[in-house]
Amino acid sequence: MDGTVLVADDDRTIRTVLTQALTRAGCKVHATSSLTTLMRWVGEGKGDVVISDVVMPDGNGLEMLPKIRQDRPDLPVIVISAQNTIMTAIQAAEAEAYDYLPKPFDLPDLMKRTAKALDNRNRAPKREDVATIGADGPDELPLVGKTPAMQALYRLVARVMNTDLPVLISGESGTGKSLIARAIHDFSDRRTLPFITVTGADLSDLEGPARVLARVKGGTLLIDEITDIPDEIQARVVRMMDIPGEHVPRFMATSQGDLAQAMDEGRVRQDLYYRLSGATINVPSLRERVEDIALLTEHFLARAEREGAPKRWLSKDAAELFRAYSWPGNVRQLENSVRRLSLTSRAEEISRTEVEAVLGNQPDTGPILRGGDAEKLGTSVARHLRRYFDLHGNMLPPPGLYARILKEVEAPLIEIALEATGGNQAKCADLLGINRNTLRKKITDLDIRVTRRRKLM
């Protein structure tokens, strides 16, 4: 890399790490813990790229971006922030940041993005005028999560927010597809216009499309579960999307399964698929972002308390059970379980026994995707890997992917095998076809908790 990088962060360790890494890569670095100093450097014409934290002792890094854009429109600014909510990602996009990374960030990934910014520093990004973001804080937003999968989703939402592209939102039931559609609308330049959700029933008669278009008035039209709509009604949706006019709405659609696969199977018209897939957002299941379960639980308990429920928190054992549960109903099931526990728990601390009682009474939820158990393991893995790559947009995932994926597969395999053998390590090793000492080492390395469990039937 060749250029000068201005680094602003109140964390001395981060400043040191970035200075050393960028210097080794061939850059000159000016680092500071003060936004005032950073803005003085910018005003003096120093720097080819800025890397700035958001919360600083003397101000907010995002609030400096309009001034930087005004004075130095060709100066890329990469925002890094520990306030890694969808609100931060949207605010960074609104302020025309070159890029946004949540903390803790992956250093090689940040270096890659910095190199790209240096390469493109002579080309100012072209953006349309964007709407001013509302006054609601991040606690008012329905999307909660700090895992890489959710951070990538936040960045994608911010990128498509003020485009006119149709948006297809896919994911399992209960992951929050409709909430994401609503968030895109509420923070877009159409937010003062109607947001209308329709199903196939709303379009079942000949006058249905005209009534819907009259209601949406150029706002956002969300078609719920597009794969469940009959072919004849799908054709009406195609004609709706092709109608010219001054008040054409923005079209969005949700789908539980892979829409491309549904098209191949004849459940979705090709012409509709190509019209809807302008931008595709894949919402990760709760199983794909296990680290968010504790954060979501705290969020729902706090919400329940604000609505009049007693103050509650999970015991350590109860929290571990929540983390280990499969959550077939995803975030919706988690929220309903937390709400029930907040009202029925006998003490402020919710016990593992109480959690077991609530989860044990959950209805049996079958496979979400069509094909269910008939889907081959390799197909399922490939689908999740493609989703992981898609969530990173036009950037590659952080290095070390091979080891991370193996760990993600290996840990649940051993945990399930231990459960199936009642915690008997000798039988588990035999089942897996590995040496018992190897199994013990993997249990230690992967931090797998071994308990005596009832054998699976």
Side-chain angles (χ1 to χ4, degrees):
M1 289 189 285
D2 179 29
T4 300
V5 181
L6 307 181
V7 175
D9 199 297
D10 61 342
D11 189 318
R12 178 181 297 177
T13 301
I14 290 179
R15 295 199 306 272
T16 301
V17 168
L18 289 179
T19 298
Q20 292 175 348
L22 290 164
T23 301
R24 284 196 299 268
C27 296
K28 295 180 180 178
V29 181
H30 298 288
T32 179
S33 61
S34 165
L35 283 177
T36 302
T37 302
L38 172 66
M39 295 306 295
R40 176 168 57 80
W41 288 342
V42 171
E44 293 171 353
K46 294 180 180 178
D48 300 303
V49 172
V50 172
I51 300 175
S52 176
D53 194 4
V54 173
V55 179
M56 298 282 282
D58 55 346
N60 185 300
L62 289 175
E63 295 175 359
M64 300 295 105
L65 263 65
K67 175 64 174 175
I68 295 175
R69 291 287 301 164
Q70 178 182 343
D71 296 345
R72 302 270 302 276
D74 60 341
L75 180 62
V77 180
I78 299 174
V79 174
I80 54 177
S81 174
Q83 293 185 321
N84 40 13
T85 67
I86 188 173
M87 195 72 169
T88 310
I90 291 175
Q91 287 176 326
E94 292 276 348
E96 302 186 39
Y98 176 84
D99 211 338
Y100 158 74
L101 276 85
K103 290 181 178 178
F105 55 81
D106 180 79
L107 182 58
D109 186 29
L110 178 56
M111 296 293 288
K112 185 189 305 180
R113 294 169 190 265
T114 304
K116 184 178 179 182
L118 286 169
D119 289 340
N120 297 336
R121 62 185 180 270
N122 293 323
R123 294 182 292 169
K126 297 179 180 179
R127 287 176 51 92
E128 301 296 328
D129 290 337
V130 294
T132 302
I133 202 156
D136 290 340
D139 288 342
E140 300 303 318
L141 290 167
L143 300 174
V144 178
K146 295 185 178 181
T147 53
M150 289 302 291
Q151 293 303 314
L153 186 147
Y154 295 163
R155 289 195 294 270
L156 184 55
V157 166
R159 285 201 297 269
V160 306
M161 185 174 58
N162 280 311
T163 70
D164 290 325
L165 287 172
V167 178
L168 173 64
I169 307 171
S170 65
E172 296 180 7
S173 177
T175 52
K177 299 186 293 294
S178 297
L179 295 178
I180 289 170
R182 184 80 210 201
I184 292 173
H185 172 81
D186 286 349
F187 291 99
S188 74
D189 49 14
R190 296 178 188 255
R191 67 188 182 281
T192 59
L193 299 173
F195 176 88
I196 304 296
T197 301
V198 299
T199 64
D202 298 298
L203 306 171
S204 58
D205 62 88
L206 292 176
E207 300 301 320
R211 287 197 302 270
V212 168
L213 290 175
R215 289 173 59 203
V216 72
K217 299 176 182 178
T220 299
L221 179 61
L222 175 65
I223 305 168
D224 191 41
E225 297 303 336
I226 191 70
T227 55
D228 292 340
I229 296 178
D231 184 88
E232 179 184 354
I233 298 179
Q234 289 185 25
R236 292 176 187 169
V237 175
V238 171
R239 291 193 289 273
M240 286 175 64
M241 297 184 72
D242 288 343
I243 293 176
E246 184 179 353
H247 301 293
V248 177
R250 182 179 195 175
F251 287 87
M252 297 188 193
T254 64
S255 170
Q256 284 193 18
D258 187 315
L259 205 63
Q261 181 180 344
M263 181 187 68
D264 293 339
E265 295 172 354
R267 293 186 287 112
V268 172
R269 296 171 58 99
Q270 285 191 1
D271 49 3
L272 179 57
Y273 170 77
Y274 292 121
R275 283 167 174 78
L276 284 176
S277 55
T280 301
I281 297 177
N282 296 309
V283 187
S285 67
L286 201 51
R287 298 182 302 280
E288 295 173 274
R289 52 186 190 109
V290 174
E291 299 303 324
D292 283 333
I293 290 176
L295 185 68
L296 285 161
T297 302
E298 292 174 4
H299 175 80
F300 293 137
L301 285 171
R303 177 187 287 178
E305 184 181 351
R306 289 196 299 271
E307 294 173 355
K311 183 178 179 62
R312 296 281 188 262
W313 62 85
L314 292 182
S315 69
K316 184 178 180 181
D317 286 345
E320 289 178 353
L321 184 57
F322 257 42
R323 193 179 189 280
Y325 187 64
S326 61
W327 298 111
N330 288 294
V331 179
R332 185 184 297 120
Q333 182 189 9
L334 173 63
E335 179 177 12
N336 291 337
S337 299
V338 170
R339 283 181 175 275
R340 180 175 173 183
L341 286 163
S342 68
L343 294 172
T344 61
S345 177
R346 294 185 295 273
E348 290 184 333
E349 184 174 83
I350 300 170
S351 69
R352 181 185 178 96
T353 302
E354 290 173 318
V355 170
E356 287 175 342
V358 167
L359 297 183
N361 290 328
Q362 295 288 342
D364 183 22
T365 305
I368 298 298
L369 297 178
R370 294 183 184 268
D373 294 333
E375 184 179 44
K376 293 182 178 179
L377 178 60
T379 303
S380 177
V381 171
R383 173 167 49 81
H384 288 294
L385 288 175
R386 287 193 185 96
R387 176 181 293 175
Y388 178 74
F389 273 82
D390 289 344
L391 286 172
H392 286 78
N394 59 358
M395 299 295 294
L396 291 175
L401 178 62
Y402 185 78
R404 287 201 307 276
I405 294 298
L406 286 185
K407 182 178 179 180
E408 288 290 331
V409 173
E410 195 172 30
L413 172 60
I414 293 174
E415 288 174 351
I416 293 170
L418 281 167
E419 181 179 356
T421 55
N424 188 311
Q425 295 187 27
K427 290 183 178 180
C428 181
D430 183 61
L431 174 64
L432 295 172
I434 60 177
N435 183 276
R436 187 175 179 181
N437 290 333
T438 302
L439 175 62
R440 286 175 174 169
K441 185 175 186 305
K442 289 184 179 296
I443 289 172
T444 300
D445 292 345
L446 298 173
D447 194 24
I448 295 173
R449 183 180 178 185
V450 181
T451 56
R452 301 292 300 183
R453 299 187 177 99
R454 180 174 56 84
K455 294 182 182 180
L456 299 178
M457 299 302 291

